[in-house]
Amino acid sequence: MFVEVPPVPDLIPEPRYARFTTADECELTDPVLVAPPGTEGAARRLRAELGAATGWELPAPVAGAAHAGRTVIRLALRPEIAGAGAESYEVHVTRDLVLLEGGDPAGLHWAVQTLRQLLGPDAYRRAPAAPDRAWRLPVGDLADGPRFGWRGLMLDVARHFMPKDGVLRYIDLLAAHKLNVLHLHLTDDQGWRVEIKRYPRLTEVGAWRSRSRWGHRASPLWNETPHGGFYTQDDIREIVAYAAERHVRVVPEIDVPGHSQAAIAAYPELGNTDVVDTAALGVWDDWGVCENVLAPTEAVLRFYEGVFEELLELFPAEVSPFVHVGGDECPKAQWRASRAARARIRELGVDGEDGLQAWFIRHFDGWLAERGRRLIGWDEILEGGLAPGAAVSSWRGYAGGIAAAEAGHDVVMCPEQQVYLDHRQAPGEDEPMPIGYVRSLADVYRFEPVPPKLSPEAAAHVLGAQANMWTEVTENQSRVDYQVFPRLAAFAEVVWSRLPKPAERDWAGFEARMTTHYARLDALGVDYRPPGGPLPRQRRPGVLGRPIDGEPPIV
Ligand code: ACM
């Protein structure tokens, strides 16, 4: 009897095609691994990840040796599969063979991740939980590939620093969900997190703050423990290489010309010295939008060229074709009050303070293009005219992304109303330091990256989407996990799978598959929000957040 399981019940994200039978099985007994040239990366991952969980050594078969009774896992690159799109792959399981085929190395890598899911939650452990257990797979076929090429998560490591091992762990978590972009928000008013050798004070001074507000802005509480940390250049090289091995691209963000108080605290000449005593500024200890922004001078441009020069060395073009320059939330009050800034507006002949901001961003658009990179910035970079090569991260809803895409610019959709994972997951008092809109797992499952009103030509400019995790009220990895999971699993399905329109999506089916996925997250040690609400230790009673009531406009 052939029992079809349509599709394999618990894969997340859901594959494009899967036909499996539970009437026949492949029992994996100490398998051998066939890995021809070109498949070395997938073989390394398979040995490291599945080998750890199962205890298998996965030796290459030796000519003439008896492999009787041992299942074969065979890896292959088959370029025809790439006809279905970049990163496509197939999995074929018979009684004694597991065949993983990628159209390209990335596709093959995702095939390995699918095999891990097919083996069950214990395949996510780092050592065998039960040494003698049998590992079985249903027999069948699967063909899959992503809807979008940009499937990302932004981690704000500036507001609260995430030590390097936490970032590496997040790269593993992204890869387990077939996500392929990690956007690192490396600088902000509250901290500078990347070593720049020619400007040592950026991390000597800018990486440390004396205290932090405990809760959101309305909270009267302070955490008096100093906070800080930064990645050395070798840390960054390690992060980038670790990500590349897992087919994850890293997008570094240096936020200019706003969100810059940490840099100004380190080098006061970067600020508007004719308006504020920048030498008296420390790294900011509060949350919100800060008035202390960069001065619009040639010297500031030269300084940041120096920062970006080192950054381009750390983030090679193959892994990081895009460089994010921020551009968001730059209050213009200091530029309005500054004689030097007003003189600059006249000298450059730009249209007021918005024109100054556009001048700033345009400068780096050209500078990065000359070096073979692409600039990406938050949607405020549309104000005062978009730089010619710029791509846009559309965060204040879809409007910026729509305008940019209609004008022929590439866009990454990350509207705060839908995919800001710092926003609370449920109404009520139990969510820890609740901020923003209520966005449940089901809401994220119904997120649609391409707004229906986009023309087909403009829709082709939507590279994909990313979920953004800001960390003002998440002081450690557990709190980040709580906000990110389980919602990142829904997000992963939205950007990978070809789901129907939001109203027609099979939420019940997804929720059923989540039962197995929670077990995977448990095996991985992810401190997710349980479906029934926070555990007692996950609550933060009495610490004020900043809830936003009511429904935001969608699209
Ligand atoms: C942002 O949320 N300020 C990009």
Side-chain angles (χ1 to χ4, degrees), residues 267-348:
Y267 292 95
E269 64 272 25
L270 296 174
N272 294 287
T273 49
D274 61 342
V275 181
V276 278
D277 177 10
T278 55
L281 291 175
V283 174
W284 207 26
D285 58 10
D286 211 348
W287 314 127
V289 176
C290 178
E291 293 293 330
N292 294 306
V293 303
L294 297 177
T297 65
E298 290 294 329
V300 168
L301 292 188
R302 299 291 92 71
F303 182 98
Y304 274 87
E305 285 172 0
V307 170
F308 283 115
E309 266 170 29
E310 292 194 28
L311 210 71
L312 295 195
E313 296 259 311
L314 296 173
F315 294 87
E318 311 80 75
V319 187
S320 309
F322 283 92
V323 173
H324 207 293
V325 299
D328 58 322
E329 298 176 321
C330 178
K332 307 294 187 307
Q334 288 189 353
W335 291 352
R336 272 194 292 275
S338 160
R339 286 171 68 93
R342 289 203 309 275
R344 197 89 184 107
I345 290 172
R346 284 193 299 277
E347 194 181 314
L348 293 167

Side-chain angles (χ1 to χ4, degrees), residues 51-341:
T54 58
W56 300 335
E57 291 192 0
L58 292 162
V62 179
H67 296 294
R70 292 177 74 164
T71 323
V72 174
I73 301 178
R74 180 185 297 276
L75 306 181
L77 280 181
R78 196 152 64 79
E80 313 86 272
I81 294 178
E87 304 182 73
S88 294
Y89 70 92
E90 294 182 10
V91 175
H92 304 283
V93 182
T94 58
R95 291 194 72 157
D96 46 19
L97 175 70
V98 178
L99 177 59
L100 306 182
E101 298 182 309
D104 51 31
L108 190 57
H109 173 68
W110 305 130
V112 171
Q113 296 307 318
T114 292
L115 174 61
R116 223 172 151 200
Q117 291 209 348
L118 287 169
L119 284 167
D122 281 349
Y124 288 85
R125 297 190 183 279
R126 293 203 212 160
D132 298 330
R133 70 159 281 176
W135 294 89
R136 295 196 179 83
L137 289 172
V139 160
D141 302 289
L142 182 149
D144 197 11
R147 178 179 175 200
F148 293 109
W150 186 301
R151 307 180 300 277
L153 173 69
M154 187 218 72
L155 281 181
D156 167 14
V157 295
R159 269 52 175 272
H160 280 100
F161 179 59
M162 180 181 277
K164 180 196 74 181
D165 62 337
V167 176
L168 299 178
R169 173 178 173 272
Y170 258 88
I171 291 168
D172 281 330
L173 292 173
L174 292 187
H177 290 83
K178 300 191 175 79
L179 295 169
N180 68 344
V181 175
L182 174 64
H183 168 173
L184 283 180
H185 181 75
L186 289 166
T187 68
D188 215 302
D189 302 301
Q190 299 87 353
W192 183 284
R193 305 286 174 227
V194 54
E195 177 188 25
I196 301 296
K197 297 231 192 249
R198 75 188 75 179
Y199 306 127
R201 286 175 59 84
L202 285 173
T203 43
E204 284 167 9
V205 173
W208 308 98
R209 64 173 181 265
S210 56
R211 63 173 192 169
S212 310
R213 192 184 284 280
W214 181 234
H216 212 271
R217 267 171 280 169
S219 169
L221 307 173
W222 293 88
N223 178 349
E224 297 292 344
T225 305
H227 181 82
F230 65 93
Y231 310 111
T232 66
Q233 295 207 342
D234 279 345
D235 290 343
I236 295 285
R237 290 190 187 94
E238 181 184 356
I239 288 169
V240 166
Y242 192 89
E245 167 84 358
R246 288 153 184 80
H247 296 274
V248 173
R249 301 197 305 263
V250 187
V251 177
E253 180 186 352
I254 302 289
D255 206 341
V256 295
H259 288 285
S260 297
Q261 185 165 322
I264 296 168
Y267 292 95
E269 64 272 25
L270 296 174
N272 294 287
T273 49
D274 61 342
V275 181
V276 278
D277 177 10
T278 55
L281 291 175
V283 174
W284 207 26
D285 58 10
D286 211 348
W287 314 127
V289 176
C290 178
E291 293 293 330
N292 294 306
V293 303
L294 297 177
T297 65
E298 290 294 329
V300 168
L301 292 188
R302 299 291 92 71
F303 182 98
Y304 274 87
E305 285 172 0
V307 170
F308 283 115
E309 266 170 29
E310 292 194 28
L311 210 71
L312 295 195
E313 296 259 311
L314 296 173
F315 294 87
E318 311 80 75
V319 187
S320 309
F322 283 92
V323 173
H324 207 293
V325 299
D328 58 322
E329 298 176 321
C330 178
K332 307 294 187 307
Q334 288 189 353
W335 291 352
R336 272 194 292 275
S338 160
R339 286 171 68 93

Side-chain angles (χ1 to χ4, degrees), residues 434-483:
I435 63 171
Y437 303 109
V438 174
R439 283 297 168 259
S440 65
L441 181 62
D443 292 327
V444 174
Y445 194 62
R446 295 198 184 95
F447 165 57
E448 173 49 46
V450 181
K453 61 168 93 152
L454 270 190
S455 66
E457 300 76 47
H461 284 291
V462 178
L463 302 176
Q466 67 181 38
N468 291 340
M469 180 56 213
W470 302 99
T471 60
E472 289 93 334
V473 298
T474 51
E475 71 282 5
N476 58 32
Q477 180 177 286
S478 275
R479 280 286 292 121
V480 173
D481 275 10
Y482 180 92
Q483 296 301 129

